[in-house]
Amino acid sequence: MPVKLPCSSVLLLSAALLAGCAAPVPPKPPIDTTPKARQPLLQTRASFDCSGALPAVHRQICADDALARLDKELVAHQHRLQQELDPVGSLLLAANHRQWLLSRGELCSIAAEPDAQSQACLTGLYRKRSRELEGWRIPQPVSNTGAHALSSYAEYRLVDNRASGLCEPLEQELNRDLRSNGEPSPARLSGVGLLAGSHADVANASVDGREVRVELYNAGLYAGYQIRARGMSIDGKPLLDDATLAHWIAEQPNYGGRAHAASSQTGDYGSIDVFQRAGRTHVLVNETWGFHSPAARGESAYAGLYQLAGATLQPLCLYQTYLTPPRTNTLAGLSVYAQLQAGLEDIVGHPLPGMAQHERRDDFQGWKEQQWTLLNLPLLGVDALSRHGHEAVLRQRHDRALEGLFDWSERNLNNKQAYRRLLPMLQPAQQELRQLFTGQGLDDRDADVAADLLLHATLARAVESLAAPSQPVQLPSPPPAAWQPRYAIAPAPGDLERGRQFATLHSVLLNNAPANVVADFIAYESASRGEQWGRGPDGDPAAAAAVMQPDNLQLLLGAGIDPEQHNRWDKTALMSAAEHNQPRSVALLLQHGANVHRRTRQQMGMGIGGLERREAEQGRQTALLLAAAHAGEETLQLLLEAGAARQAWEGYDRQVCTALQANAELASAERERLQGLLCGTYAALPAAEREQLDVRRGDVLPYRLDGVEYRVSLRQRPASSLFGRTLQSTPDKLDQQVRSLAVKVGTAAVRRGHMQLTGPLTLYAPDLAANSATEVQLYLGYPVSSGAGHVAGYSVLNQPATQILSVRFDTERNDSVGTWRALTAAAREQGLVPANQGFIVVHTRGGRATEYQLVVTDPAANGGAD
């Protein structure tokens, strides 16, 4: 007889027996399909959020209501035009808009703080651009032959027929419209009276005495700023929301894996249209297509036709629409194209400072969408070029981009070398793309056009981001009747130089001209340009341009050129020769008196493109440091024999040794030999070579006061909003009171004020002279996000951006009074004017550390005025 075990004993048995004691699984709760009202959209004063850190242009816009309104209206108009354009036209207009945004700061002298003159200039620019947009007409198709390319990727296929005799003919009509015009519109169907919605002139309509409203809105950054539909209401009551169509889709067998209670995953629809036909009112709902389609791999987008009867919607016809699944990781196998992109990104560097964070995100997201479309729906681009006649405009833009790239390469040797690495990638990248599109089924001609279009978009977008335009940016003009391209889309190395007339000695040196040509230019410029002979952009010296060709360098030095000429951040020819591992040039320069101890200085915001800006902003480079990172043993040995291994600044010896470890030019044995020479403690520089430390260029000043050394640096303290309260105490009680009050202030900010803390605990001394050995008055607070609300007992101090002298406080060696005295004395020694204000910042990330900050001004930055 079997024994019945208690459930506790069953725990020792298998999972199969456990199932017999498990409680029954409760049924899933019913799905609520009631349409929901959407939350109101957040509104901003300008086209962007005016809170947070913003560039100067955007601060001016936010400070003036009329200008903020102009910005909002102009950007909204721009978004509407983008949606109405074909893919290539949209690409060209988006590029033009980026250029116009960048030009604002160049065409107006923008003050750092709100200023009537800056705002007046910006207002003029915005009004002019608005007038141009109002008068600009979308180019009409020049050819309507053949089926629209969108019909290669989308088709209406009936999957749920609840109105036989209606759904099949509508499917055929929608597909005919798709083949003729691209995205279908109910307005083009026979016998249709369009009432309201995405393709109508209005969003509201009266139907049988009821107010029907389609909620249209700008879907924002992550939806391409498309005008989409969030839902539909009748007499103010939600009748259709973003989940309505999804519930219908979920009723179908093998519907594609989307959770039936979920929306279309985009939170909206591509379009909702209300129309009348044959005496009945219908609603056609389309999900989005292309990059923004809700369809995942293996799924499809859908469209649904409903009948509006009174205050109810009756499902009639459900169609699958966008039938080509998104490709995933398409670029993974394109090694040369990926290298080309990386090379262009390195050349461009970080976005220009005139671009606000939201504009940078727009640029990135817009490029993701453009690149995805050109890769995965290439026939859309191919079709748009021929249908809308963009070929001439695009080739004109491409010629300008290649000219811009070449002009950039002419600035200095580093640029020229980067250009020479980049150009050989163009044709292999084009071939990779062509093979990709052939693999998608495109014929040879279409594959060529698709590859050219994507390569152009990649290259031109990068080159146009190198520098802000200095001239007014005009909207794209109608396509010219003809444009004879100067360059191929993917020119071969040397094609851009062919037939070019070089006008300066600096250019002929960068382009490795023969000795007789160099000699002619030397004779001309040395006689006509005085001390500036041989100079290139940003003062780049001719000797630096010649280091790759020692024979040309010898001609220059023989003609008496100064080997100590330097560019605007003090880079010399010896540094360039060391960086590019040119031992013959290094030897020539040293023989002619080049100073082996020269160093570059930090220059913020200087240079064109990422390579130059990084070099200028880095500062503190020497020939030895550059050689240790890039050069071979012969070059390093020459510099060592010239006495380069001397302590240029504190920690210099360690920097050189670290650079040596990562030097790919050296074999292991060479590196080991050099380590013994370079990885030790260096002797001090000769007195004549020691440069006076200047905190303005990033030097750390060792300042001694009363036997204590302070490491002082000059920094920019960003503008901030401090939330907190005043603290009055004695020096003895200060530490204890700070700890308890800091907790209270932080708690009040987060819990009562619903603010976000954006920085560490900060104590602000508005009047340092009022503090003494017996009494201290400080404002204790935390930096918080802009727009902080009122909390009883607390206040918000808005602090402007300021320059500060900074030092880390050592609790064992420093005292507060001595630290303020040292900062004040160091400021005067460096020619700075100390203010009677300071900050104490308590850092906690990576360990607790306290920083004293004295507010200073620099008379030299104001023309010498105190």
Side-chain angles (χ1 to χ4, degrees):
M1 179 177 179
V3 179
K4 186 174 181 179
L5 298 175
C7 277
S8 58
S9 301
V10 175
L11 291 173
L12 302 175
L13 301 179
S14 67
L17 292 177
L18 274 171
C21 295
V25 178
K28 292 183 178 180
I31 298 168
D32 181 8
T33 61
T34 306
K36 308 297 189 299
R38 299 295 294 268
Q39 292 295 319
L41 297 170
L42 294 176
Q43 298 296 320
T44 57
R45 291 179 65 239
S47 66
F48 53 91
D49 184 357
C50 283
S51 64
L54 293 169
V57 166
H58 301 76
R59 292 198 297 274
Q60 298 290 350
I61 292 170
C62 288
D64 183 89
D65 288 340
L67 183 54
R69 186 168 56 253
L70 279 173
D71 174 81
K72 194 169 187 174
E73 292 170 352
L74 183 142
V75 171
H77 193 174
Q78 170 78 21
H79 291 156
R80 289 196 298 272
L81 289 174
Q82 291 285 154
Q83 187 170 355
E84 295 174 27
L85 283 163
D86 63 274
V88 178
S90 178
L91 181 152
L92 294 171
L93 184 61
N96 179 272
H97 184 60
R98 287 195 304 273
Q99 291 288 287
W100 185 82
L101 291 174
L102 285 171
S103 74
R104 294 172 302 179
E106 297 296 310
L107 299 178
C108 292
S109 299
I110 304 297
E113 298 301 327
D115 169 82
Q117 185 174 349
S118 300
Q119 290 163 2
C121 180
L122 288 169
T123 297
L125 286 181
Y126 269 87
R127 286 177 175 163
K128 180 175 183 291
R129 180 75 171 184
S130 294
R131 289 193 300 270
E132 291 172 348
L133 282 176
E134 288 293 338
W136 193 75
R137 295 292 176 262
I138 292 176
Q140 296 302 304
V142 297
S143 170
N144 282 314
T145 59
H148 195 284
L150 189 57
S151 62
S152 300
Y153 303 104
E155 181 183 11
Y156 286 81
R157 295 182 182 178
L158 185 61
V159 294
D160 189 358
N161 185 350
R162 304 186 185 185
S164 183
L166 170 65
C167 299
E168 299 94 333
L170 181 61
E171 174 191 287
Q172 296 172 11
E173 287 184 276
L174 290 170
N175 283 326
R176 280 197 297 271
D177 192 25
L178 177 62
R179 286 191 293 272
S180 297
N181 301 295
E183 184 176 338
S185 166
R188 290 192 290 263
L189 304 182
S190 63
V192 163
L194 193 57
L195 300 177
S198 300
H199 293 92
D201 294 330
V202 294
N204 296 40
S206 178
V207 179
D208 298 330
R210 298 175 182 269
E211 184 70 15
V212 176
R213 177 175 178 268
V214 177
E215 185 183 1
L216 303 177
Y217 81 117
N218 186 314
L221 168 64
Y222 295 107
Y225 291 103
Q226 295 179 352
I227 305 301
R228 297 200 197 162
R230 297 214 301 174
M232 189 181 78
S233 62
I234 189 162
D235 289 338
K237 182 180 179 181
L239 188 63
L240 184 153
D241 66 7
D242 64 299
T244 302
L245 184 63
H247 292 309
W248 189 0
I249 297 168
E251 296 174 11
Q252 311 308 309
N254 302 318
Y255 63 92
R258 282 183 280 191
H260 56 271
S263 73
S264 65
Q265 297 185 4
T266 53
D268 55 24
Y269 299 104
S271 63
I272 298 176
D273 289 292
V274 183
F275 62 92
Q276 288 183 331
R277 191 180 198 186
R280 296 182 178 181
T281 302
H282 296 289
V283 179
L284 181 62
V285 181
N286 275 278
E287 290 187 321
T288 47
W289 289 347
F291 181 76
H292 301 290
S293 171
R297 193 173 182 86
E299 298 178 355
S300 178
Y302 286 81
L305 180 74
Y306 298 83
Q307 181 174 327
L308 179 61
T312 62
L313 280 178
Q314 178 186 352
L316 299 179
C317 317
L318 182 67
Y319 303 96
Q320 285 185 317
T321 55
Y322 179 70
L323 304 175
T324 300
R327 299 173 184 273
T328 56
N329 209 18
T330 308
L331 292 175
L334 302 180
S335 59
V336 183
Y337 179 79
Q339 292 175 41
L340 176 66
Q341 271 200 302
L344 287 168
E345 288 170 3
D346 189 51
I347 284 173
V348 173
H350 294 301
L352 293 168
M355 296 287 277
Q357 189 64 34
H358 72 278
E359 290 163 346
R360 299 179 186 193
R361 289 194 300 266
D362 284 358
D363 185 23
F364 177 74
Q365 282 296 122
W367 172 235
K368 279 178 61 178
E369 180 180 351
Q370 288 174 357
Q371 189 181 55
W372 187 95
T373 301
L374 295 175
L375 275 167
N376 298 305
L377 308 176
L379 287 174
L380 294 185
V382 174
D383 181 75
L385 276 174
S386 60
R387 186 177 296 267
H388 293 272
H390 292 304
E391 176 71 23
V393 176
L394 186 134
R395 294 305 298 267
Q396 189 177 28
R397 179 184 181 225
H398 196 70
D399 282 350
R400 285 199 303 266
L402 288 171
E403 278 293 313
L405 180 63
F406 183 81
D407 290 345
W408 173 84
S409 78
E410 292 282 278
R411 292 177 56 80
N412 55 59
L413 180 59
N414 278 1
N415 290 10
K416 183 63 74 174
Q417 294 296 87
Y419 163 86
R420 287 175 178 147
R421 291 190 297 269
L422 190 76
L423 262 290
M425 299 181 196
L426 292 177
Q427 290 188 344
Q430 183 190 47
Q431 185 61 28
E432 272 188 337
L433 292 171
R434 187 183 184 282
Q435 291 172 356
L436 171 73
F437 294 130
T438 301
Q440 289 186 21
L442 275 64
D443 62 31
D444 288 347
R445 176 196 167 278
D446 287 347
D448 284 339
V449 174
D452 284 353
L453 183 55
L454 180 52
L455 192 64
H456 159 77
T458 305
L459 180 68
R461 172 181 175 272
V463 174
E464 289 170 351
S465 300
L466 282 170
S470 58
Q471 299 296 319
V473 176
Q474 304 298 326
L475 281 164
S477 56
W483 174 261
Q484 184 62 42
R486 180 175 178 182
Y487 306 113
I489 292 290
D495 281 358
L496 270 65
E497 290 83 355
R498 188 170 294 114
R500 190 180 294 274
Q501 298 296 317
F502 296 104
T504 68
L505 172 60
H506 190 266
S507 287
V508 299
L509 290 167
L510 281 177
N511 290 283
N512 300 328
N516 63 313
V517 174
V518 173
D520 289 343
F521 271 90
I522 289 174
Y524 171 74
E525 288 202 6
S526 61
S528 62
R529 293 189 61 191
E531 293 183 357
Q532 294 300 308
W533 73 278
R535 294 279 191 175
D538 277 332
D540 193 66
V547 298
M548 304 300 290
Q549 295 288 330
D551 290 341
N552 285 342
L553 178 60
Q554 178 71 71
L555 287 173
L556 288 170
L557 295 169
I561 200 159
D562 182 4
E564 287 298 281
Q565 278 188 348
H566 51 79
N567 68 6
R568 289 171 63 189
W569 49 94
D570 285 357
K571 187 174 185 180
T572 65
L574 182 62
M575 296 177 195
S576 291
E579 181 180 17
H580 292 282
N581 191 28
Q582 297 295 314
R584 278 189 61 199
S585 292
V586 168
L588 280 169
L589 289 161
L590 290 172
Q591 290 166 14
H592 284 78
N595 186 347
V596 76
H597 300 301
R598 287 290 296 267
R599 68 178 184 180
T600 61
R601 60 194 173 101
Q602 186 182 52
Q603 294 280 49
M604 302 303 294
M606 186 173 288
I608 304 297
L611 296 181
E612 291 185 20
R613 290 199 301 270
R614 284 197 300 272
E615 188 175 82
E617 292 173 5
Q618 181 180 20
R620 301 228 308 187
Q621 293 289 306
T622 67
L624 181 62
L625 191 52
L626 289 165
H630 304 288
E633 186 176 22
E634 184 180 358
T635 297
L636 282 161
Q637 193 65 47
L638 286 167
L639 294 172
L640 286 170
E641 291 170 1
R646 305 296 284 267
Q647 195 74 339
W649 57 80
E650 183 181 358
Y652 176 70
D653 49 356
R654 294 189 297 275
Q655 279 185 261
V656 172
C657 187
T658 300
L660 187 70
Q661 309 310 315
N663 187 333
E665 284 290 323
L666 297 171
S668 298
E670 292 173 329
R671 185 177 293 104
E672 289 178 9
R673 284 195 299 273
L674 289 165
Q675 282 175 349
L677 300 172
L678 292 172
C679 295
T681 302
Y682 295 175
L685 278 175
E689 297 292 344
R690 294 176 193 166
E691 295 184 0
Q692 183 178 359
L693 294 175
D694 187 348
V695 292
R696 294 173 183 81
R697 65 187 184 195
D699 292 337
V700 177
L701 177 68
Y703 190 83
R704 296 187 68 84
L705 182 69
D706 299 334
V708 178
E709 184 173 278
Y710 299 86
R711 314 291 297 168
V712 180
S713 59
L714 181 67
R715 295 197 294 104
Q716 185 80 5
R717 179 181 170 85
S720 64
S721 298
L722 284 180
F723 172 87
R725 60 193 299 180
T726 299
L727 167 65
Q728 288 182 308
S729 182
T730 66
D732 293 338
K733 296 180 180 179
L734 182 62
D735 186 57
Q736 180 180 356
Q737 289 181 307
V738 163
R739 291 171 186 268
S740 61
L741 187 55
V743 174
K744 293 178 182 178
V745 171
T747 302
V750 174
R751 294 186 179 176
R752 294 167 56 189
H754 306 291
M755 305 170 196
Q756 180 182 357
L757 305 185
T758 60
L761 177 67
T762 301
L763 288 82
Y764 169 55
D767 184 5
L768 285 170
N771 292 331
S772 66
T774 58
E775 183 179 357
V776 175
Q777 181 171 319
L778 300 166
Y779 183 90
L780 183 148
Y782 287 93
V784 295
S785 53
S786 297
H790 175 71
V791 178
Y794 297 88
S795 61
V796 176
L797 291 184
N798 292 314
Q799 297 287 334
T802 55
Q803 276 193 312
I804 53 160
L805 275 187
S806 168
V807 69
R808 288 298 177 98
F809 185 82
D810 187 331
T811 55
E812 295 184 0
R813 298 189 307 118
N814 301 150
D815 66 90
S816 183
V817 174
T819 302
W820 291 123
R821 286 177 56 223
L823 285 171
T824 302
R828 290 179 174 136
E829 180 183 290
Q830 291 286 301
L832 303 169
V833 178
N836 189 33
Q837 303 172 47
F839 298 87
I840 302 174
V841 182
V842 182
H843 300 277
T844 54
R845 288 189 177 182
R848 184 182 174 92
T850 303
E851 178 187 4
Y852 276 51
Q853 301 175 347
L854 176 69
V855 177
V856 297
T857 56
D858 185 1
N862 300 312
D866 289 342

